[in-house]
Amino acid sequence: MLPEINIWAVLLATASSMVLGAIGYSRQAFGTSWMTAVGHDEESLRTGSTAITGRSRHRGERGTQKT
């Protein structure tokens, strides 16, 4: 037996979490603080280096492999 799910509540919760996430990561709210906390700056975002994979295009940073 499946419980009855209020689809409007699910959709509202999904939309509100997306809106709050977008506001939280925006530069006007906490975006610059978040970038500093994870080790990014404007240049690293432009060059495409990521902290998620641990790979970086800059030499000498944590996560790079020596060849």
Side-chain angles (χ1 to χ4, degrees):
M1 178 168 213
L2 294 173
E4 189 174 322
I5 297 174
N6 185 345
I7 189 70
W8 294 109
V10 172
L11 292 174
L12 180 63
T14 302
S16 66
S17 68
M18 292 175 67
V19 168
L20 289 176
I23 291 171
Y25 284 110
S26 70
R27 290 194 175 118
Q28 292 79 13
F30 303 111
T32 52
S33 301
W34 171 79
M35 284 194 315
T36 304
V38 297
H40 278 296
D41 57 3
E42 294 291 329
E43 181 63 29
S44 67
L45 294 177
R46 271 189 239 111
T47 60
S49 62
T50 62
I52 294 171
T53 60
R55 294 181 184 170
S56 177
R57 294 183 183 184
H58 303 287
R59 296 186 78 185
E61 288 186 10
R62 197 175 121 232
T64 58
Q65 295 179 355
K66 293 183 180 180
T67 56

